[in-house]
PDB file of all heavy atoms in Angstrom:
ATOM      1  N   PHE A  15     -18.432  -9.556   7.263  1.00  0.00           N
ATOM      2  CA  PHE A  15     -19.875  -9.674   7.058  1.00  0.00           C
ATOM      3  C   PHE A  15     -20.193 -11.120   7.394  1.00  0.00           C
ATOM      4  O   PHE A  15     -19.836 -12.015   6.617  1.00  0.00           O
ATOM      5  CB  PHE A  15     -20.272  -9.364   5.615  1.00  0.00           C
ATOM      6  CG  PHE A  15     -20.182  -7.896   5.271  1.00  0.00           C
ATOM      7  CD1 PHE A  15     -19.284  -7.439   4.316  1.00  0.00           C
ATOM      8  CD2 PHE A  15     -21.013  -6.967   5.894  1.00  0.00           C
ATOM      9  CE1 PHE A  15     -19.207  -6.096   3.996  1.00  0.00           C
ATOM     10  CE2 PHE A  15     -20.937  -5.610   5.577  1.00  0.00           C
ATOM     11  CZ  PHE A  15     -20.036  -5.180   4.631  1.00  0.00           C
ATOM     12  N   MET A  18     -17.677 -13.796   6.565  1.00  0.00           N
ATOM     13  CA  MET A  18     -16.836 -13.387   5.443  1.00  0.00           C
ATOM     14  C   MET A  18     -15.979 -12.174   5.824  1.00  0.00           C
ATOM     15  O   MET A  18     -16.499 -11.136   6.236  1.00  0.00           O
ATOM     16  CB  MET A  18     -17.703 -13.036   4.243  1.00  0.00           C
ATOM     17  CG  MET A  18     -16.909 -12.889   2.978  1.00  0.00           C
ATOM     18  SD  MET A  18     -17.964 -12.932   1.538  1.00  0.00           S
ATOM     19  CE  MET A  18     -18.278 -11.235   1.297  1.00  0.00           C
ATOM     20  N   VAL A  20     -13.989  -9.203   4.751  1.00  0.00           N
ATOM     21  CA  VAL A  20     -13.958  -8.363   3.555  1.00  0.00           C
ATOM     22  C   VAL A  20     -12.809  -7.344   3.597  1.00  0.00           C
ATOM     23  O   VAL A  20     -12.212  -7.009   2.572  1.00  0.00           O
ATOM     24  CB  VAL A  20     -15.324  -7.653   3.402  1.00  0.00           C
ATOM     25  CG1 VAL A  20     -15.277  -6.634   2.299  1.00  0.00           C
ATOM     26  CG2 VAL A  20     -16.411  -8.678   3.134  1.00  0.00           C
ATOM     27  N   PRO A  39      -8.943  -4.390  -7.523  1.00  0.00           N
ATOM     28  CA  PRO A  39      -9.926  -4.962  -8.451  1.00  0.00           C
ATOM     29  C   PRO A  39     -11.326  -5.028  -7.826  1.00  0.00           C
ATOM     30  O   PRO A  39     -11.486  -4.768  -6.642  1.00  0.00           O
ATOM     31  CB  PRO A  39      -9.382  -6.369  -8.719  1.00  0.00           C
ATOM     32  CG  PRO A  39      -8.436  -6.672  -7.605  1.00  0.00           C
ATOM     33  CD  PRO A  39      -7.951  -5.362  -7.064  1.00  0.00           C
ATOM     34  N   ASN A  40     -12.310  -5.372  -8.639  1.00  0.00           N
ATOM     35  CA  ASN A  40     -13.688  -5.495  -8.151  1.00  0.00           C
ATOM     36  C   ASN A  40     -13.743  -6.418  -6.946  1.00  0.00           C
ATOM     37  O   ASN A  40     -13.107  -7.467  -6.929  1.00  0.00           O
ATOM     38  CB  ASN A  40     -14.607  -6.065  -9.240  1.00  0.00           C
ATOM     39  CG  ASN A  40     -14.804  -5.090 -10.390  1.00  0.00           C
ATOM     40  OD1 ASN A  40     -14.668  -5.464 -11.545  1.00  0.00           O
ATOM     41  ND2 ASN A  40     -15.101  -3.863 -10.093  1.00  0.00           N
ATOM     42  N   GLY A  41     -14.493  -6.000  -5.954  1.00  0.00           N
ATOM     43  CA  GLY A  41     -14.704  -6.853  -4.786  1.00  0.00           C
ATOM     44  C   GLY A  41     -13.553  -6.874  -3.802  1.00  0.00           C
ATOM     45  O   GLY A  41     -13.557  -7.646  -2.849  1.00  0.00           O
ATOM     46  N   ALA A  42     -12.546  -5.998  -4.005  1.00  0.00           N
ATOM     47  CA  ALA A  42     -11.360  -6.018  -3.123  1.00  0.00           C
ATOM     48  C   ALA A  42     -11.654  -5.478  -1.727  1.00  0.00           C
ATOM     49  O   ALA A  42     -10.915  -5.752  -0.785  1.00  0.00           O
ATOM     50  CB  ALA A  42     -10.228  -5.204  -3.759  1.00  0.00           C
ATOM     51  N   GLY A  43     -12.700  -4.677  -1.616  1.00  0.00           N
ATOM     52  CA  GLY A  43     -13.039  -4.113  -0.297  1.00  0.00           C
ATOM     53  C   GLY A  43     -12.949  -2.595  -0.236  1.00  0.00           C
ATOM     54  O   GLY A  43     -12.968  -2.013   0.847  1.00  0.00           O
ATOM     55  N   LYS A  44     -12.879  -1.949  -1.393  1.00  0.00           N
ATOM     56  CA  LYS A  44     -12.708  -0.494  -1.435  1.00  0.00           C
ATOM     57  C   LYS A  44     -13.931   0.234  -0.860  1.00  0.00           C
ATOM     58  O   LYS A  44     -13.806   1.085   0.020  1.00  0.00           O
ATOM     59  CB  LYS A  44     -12.447  -0.022  -2.881  1.00  0.00           C
ATOM     60  CG  LYS A  44     -11.228  -0.655  -3.533  1.00  0.00           C
ATOM     61  CD  LYS A  44     -10.960  -0.089  -4.910  1.00  0.00           C
ATOM     62  CE  LYS A  44     -12.022  -0.414  -5.943  1.00  0.00           C
ATOM     63  NZ  LYS A  44     -12.155  -1.854  -6.271  1.00  0.00           N
ATOM     64  N   THR A  45     -15.102  -0.117  -1.385  1.00  0.00           N
ATOM     65  CA  THR A  45     -16.319   0.573  -0.933  1.00  0.00           C
ATOM     66  C   THR A  45     -16.584   0.300   0.543  1.00  0.00           C
ATOM     67  O   THR A  45     -16.957   1.212   1.293  1.00  0.00           O
ATOM     68  CB  THR A  45     -17.522   0.135  -1.799  1.00  0.00           C
ATOM     69  OG1 THR A  45     -17.250   0.543  -3.139  1.00  0.00           O
ATOM     70  CG2 THR A  45     -18.821   0.777  -1.331  1.00  0.00           C
ATOM     71  N   THR A  46     -16.346  -0.920   0.977  1.00  0.00           N
ATOM     72  CA  THR A  46     -16.538  -1.255   2.387  1.00  0.00           C
ATOM     73  C   THR A  46     -15.621  -0.386   3.251  1.00  0.00           C
ATOM     74  O   THR A  46     -16.034   0.151   4.274  1.00  0.00           O
ATOM     75  CB  THR A  46     -16.235  -2.758   2.615  1.00  0.00           C
ATOM     76  OG1 THR A  46     -17.055  -3.509   1.718  1.00  0.00           O
ATOM     77  CG2 THR A  46     -16.520  -3.175   4.041  1.00  0.00           C
ATOM     78  N   GLU A  85     -20.453   5.781  -4.194  1.00  0.00           N
ATOM     79  CA  GLU A  85     -20.485   5.084  -5.479  1.00  0.00           C
ATOM     80  C   GLU A  85     -21.914   4.964  -5.999  1.00  0.00           C
ATOM     81  O   GLU A  85     -22.162   5.034  -7.195  1.00  0.00           O
ATOM     82  CB  GLU A  85     -19.879   3.685  -5.268  1.00  0.00           C
ATOM     83  CG  GLU A  85     -19.639   2.916  -6.554  1.00  0.00           C
ATOM     84  CD  GLU A  85     -19.167   1.492  -6.275  1.00  0.00           C
ATOM     85  OE1 GLU A  85     -19.455   0.958  -5.183  1.00  0.00           O
ATOM     86  OE2 GLU A  85     -18.519   0.926  -7.165  1.00  0.00           O
ATOM     87  N   GLU A 162     -15.028   5.564  -6.609  1.00  0.00           N
ATOM     88  CA  GLU A 162     -15.153   5.315  -8.055  1.00  0.00           C
ATOM     89  C   GLU A 162     -15.810   6.508  -8.762  1.00  0.00           C
ATOM     90  O   GLU A 162     -16.849   6.354  -9.412  1.00  0.00           O
ATOM     91  CB  GLU A 162     -16.007   4.055  -8.303  1.00  0.00           C
ATOM     92  CG  GLU A 162     -15.482   2.829  -7.598  1.00  0.00           C
ATOM     93  CD  GLU A 162     -14.772   1.857  -8.514  1.00  0.00           C
ATOM     94  OE1 GLU A 162     -14.617   2.160  -9.715  1.00  0.00           O
ATOM     95  OE2 GLU A 162     -14.348   0.807  -8.012  1.00  0.00           O
TER      96      GLU A 162
HETATM   97  N1  ATP B   1     -23.447  -5.704   3.076  1.00  0.00           N
HETATM   98  C1  ATP B   1     -22.714  -6.722   2.641  1.00  0.00           C
HETATM   99  N2  ATP B   1     -22.961  -7.996   3.078  1.00  0.00           N
HETATM  100  C2  ATP B   1     -22.198  -9.019   2.645  1.00  0.00           C
HETATM  101  N3  ATP B   1     -21.156  -8.909   1.809  1.00  0.00           N
HETATM  102  C3  ATP B   1     -20.867  -7.673   1.364  1.00  0.00           C
HETATM  103  C4  ATP B   1     -21.625  -6.518   1.737  1.00  0.00           C
HETATM  104  N4  ATP B   1     -21.070  -5.436   1.133  1.00  0.00           N
HETATM  105  C5  ATP B   1     -20.028  -5.899   0.410  1.00  0.00           C
HETATM  106  N5  ATP B   1     -19.907  -7.229   0.529  1.00  0.00           N
HETATM  107  C6  ATP B   1     -18.864  -8.070  -0.110  1.00  0.00           C
HETATM  108  O1  ATP B   1     -17.615  -7.566   0.289  1.00  0.00           O
HETATM  109  C7  ATP B   1     -16.665  -7.688  -0.779  1.00  0.00           C
HETATM  110  C8  ATP B   1     -16.032  -6.344  -1.032  1.00  0.00           C
HETATM  111  O2  ATP B   1     -17.010  -5.471  -1.571  1.00  0.00           O
HETATM  112  P1  ATP B   1     -16.704  -3.933  -1.861  1.00  0.00           P
HETATM  113  O3  ATP B   1     -17.955  -3.325  -2.427  1.00  0.00           O
HETATM  114  O4  ATP B   1     -16.119  -3.303  -0.669  1.00  0.00           O
HETATM  115  O5  ATP B   1     -15.585  -4.059  -2.995  1.00  0.00           O
HETATM  116  P2  ATP B   1     -14.993  -2.970  -3.995  1.00  0.00           P
HETATM  117  O6  ATP B   1     -13.522  -3.097  -3.924  1.00  0.00           O
HETATM  118  O7  ATP B   1     -15.581  -1.637  -3.709  1.00  0.00           O
HETATM  119  O8  ATP B   1     -15.489  -3.508  -5.378  1.00  0.00           O
HETATM  120  P3  ATP B   1     -15.947  -2.744  -6.743  1.00  0.00           P
HETATM  121  O9  ATP B   1     -14.713  -2.242  -7.411  1.00  0.00           O
HETATM  122  O10 ATP B   1     -16.590  -3.851  -7.505  1.00  0.00           O
HETATM  123  O11 ATP B   1     -16.909  -1.655  -6.342  1.00  0.00           O
HETATM  124  C9  ATP B   1     -17.432  -8.268  -1.959  1.00  0.00           C
HETATM  125  O12 ATP B   1     -17.164  -9.640  -2.010  1.00  0.00           O
HETATM  126  C10 ATP B   1     -18.881  -7.996  -1.616  1.00  0.00           C
HETATM  127  O13 ATP B   1     -19.701  -8.990  -2.169  1.00  0.00           O
END
Side-chain angles (χ1 to χ4, degrees):
F15 287 116
M18 192 164 93
V20 172
N40 292 131
K44 302 184 294 295
T45 297
T46 305
E85 189 186 24
E162 304 256 4

